[in-house]
Each structure stands twice: as C-alpha cells, then as structure tokens.
Amino acid sequence: MLVLTEPFLFHRTSPTYRDLDWVCKSLLALRMYSQMSSINWMFVEGLFLHTRLTCKVFPSRAPFTTYYIIGWGIPFVLLLCWSVTMAIQHPVHCWTGYPNLPYIWILVAPMITALLMNLIFLINIIRILVTKLSTRNNNNSNKSSSIANKLFTSTTNGKNNKYRLSIKFRRHNKQQQQQQQNTYPLL
C-alpha cells in the first residue's frame, strides 16, 4: 500500500511507478487479486464451517485442493480475463477510469456473490446452533425436572397422606407446559 500511496503522500516530482505503464497496471492487478483472493478465502472459511455443521458428505479430511482452487485459482483466472479485456477494450495509461467501466463487473460480481453466499452460510449456521442449543437446554431441563420429580416422589411415598402439597414443575416447551398439575403428599 505504501508503494501505491507514496507519490501522493510525498508529492515527489521524480519518476514514480505511475510513469511506467506496465508497473502501474501490474500493481493495480496485484491489488485487485489481493482483494479477490481475500474475499474468496473468506468464502472458503464459510463453506468449510457450513459443510462441517450441516452435512457428513465429506470425509473427515477437508478437500484442501478444492479450497486452494477456490481461494487462489478462481481469482487468478478472473483477473486474467479482466486484464485481457482491459488491455483490448481500454488501452489507456494505467487503466485510469477502470471503476467506471462495465468490465469491472468481471471482478466485482464474483466478489458480491461470494459475500452473499457467506451471508447465507452465516444465517444457516446461526440457525443450526440456536436449534442445537435450544434442544440441549430442553433436554437438560427435562432431565433435571424429572430427577427432582423422582426424588420428591420417593421421599414422600409411604408417609402421612394427611397433608398434601401441590407442585407445578416449569417446562420449557409448550407440550410439557400443558400437562396437569402434579400433587404430592407433604412430609
């Protein structure tokens, strides 16, 4: 980044990378490749986590070759297509004005697609985790209430039935909340 901003920061009058067309275009292409590959690697991380949580299709080892192709190969191929298109269709010095041309969508559309897919992965991962946590909490509360129920029942059976205590156990799901009130004799 220092190489890209240095001529503007220090207002140098001597020749800079911007004066050599091939260096300027190469640095621009390198910057675009860095942006694309970082977004694609973020997509690979989301894909890896999503597949680990949702399906057991992949073996225990992750398909790293596929991930390398997605993370490094696809951005390189897209950047190569963009560079050739820019060299043919927009042969100006340092590709000035490239963000305003429709050819930028060769790079931007895959990045937006990867980010949207990551958003879908994130929403699905959160949904799965919330479902698992709520199921786990329901199972734990059911176990603890049934243990308390058994403990209280075993200590009160066979005792004086003169006094009775009515206890309503709280349930976390709707089906268990609709059960009738349990009555147990007092000690």
Side-chain angles (χ1 to χ4, degrees):
M1 289 307 287
L2 184 62
V3 171
L4 295 175
T5 59
E6 187 268 333
F8 301 108
L9 292 176
F10 301 112
H11 302 292
R12 206 163 55 145
T13 57
S14 61
T16 65
Y17 76 92
R18 288 188 160 276
D19 297 326
L20 297 171
D21 191 43
W22 70 272
V23 174
C24 183
K25 289 178 180 178
S26 298
L27 285 174
L28 177 64
L30 181 64
R31 189 183 79 193
M32 295 301 227
Y33 180 74
S34 299
Q35 290 173 350
M36 288 190 65
S37 64
S38 67
I39 288 177
N40 277 24
W41 275 109
M42 191 172 25
F43 170 75
V44 167
E45 290 172 1
L47 177 66
F48 178 74
L49 183 61
H50 187 262
T51 54
R52 289 292 173 197
L53 286 175
T54 58
C55 61
K56 307 275 187 207
V57 174
F58 293 117
S60 62
R61 293 182 49 209
F64 286 111
T65 306
T66 305
Y67 293 159
Y68 293 145
I69 290 171
I70 293 171
W72 298 116
I74 291 175
F76 182 75
V77 170
L78 291 171
L79 182 74
L80 192 63
C81 293
W82 178 75
S83 298
V84 169
T85 303
M86 288 296 288
I88 294 171
Q89 299 294 329
H90 191 64
V92 297
H93 178 72
C94 204
W95 290 328
T96 53
Y98 74 91
N100 301 327
L101 297 173
Y103 312 119
I104 194 67
W105 285 100
I106 297 172
L107 302 177
V108 173
M111 288 192 287
I112 291 173
T113 304
L115 290 172
L116 288 175
M117 289 297 296
N118 262 351
L119 180 64
I120 292 169
F121 289 156
L122 176 70
I123 291 169
N124 198 27
I125 289 168
I126 290 173
R127 182 189 60 82
I128 290 168
L129 291 176
V130 166
T131 304
K132 284 184 178 183
L133 283 175
S134 66
T135 304
R136 181 185 227 181
N137 286 341
N138 283 341
N139 288 341
N140 286 343
S141 67
N142 291 343
K143 287 178 185 176
S144 63
S145 64
S146 65
I147 290 171
N149 190 5
K150 288 177 184 175
L151 179 65
F152 190 73
T153 304
S154 67
T155 59
T156 57
N157 282 346
K159 300 290 181 182
N160 189 355
N161 290 336
K162 192 174 174 182
Y163 301 100
R164 301 188 73 73
L165 176 64
S166 185
I167 298 175
K168 183 176 183 181
F169 291 100
R170 294 185 187 177
R171 307 285 187 211
H172 289 287
N173 61 22
K174 294 178 182 177
Q175 182 183 19
Q176 291 174 345
Q177 286 178 350
Q178 295 173 356
Q179 289 180 347
Q180 294 179 349
Q181 185 174 359
N182 295 328
T183 305
Y184 299 98
L186 187 60
L187 293 175

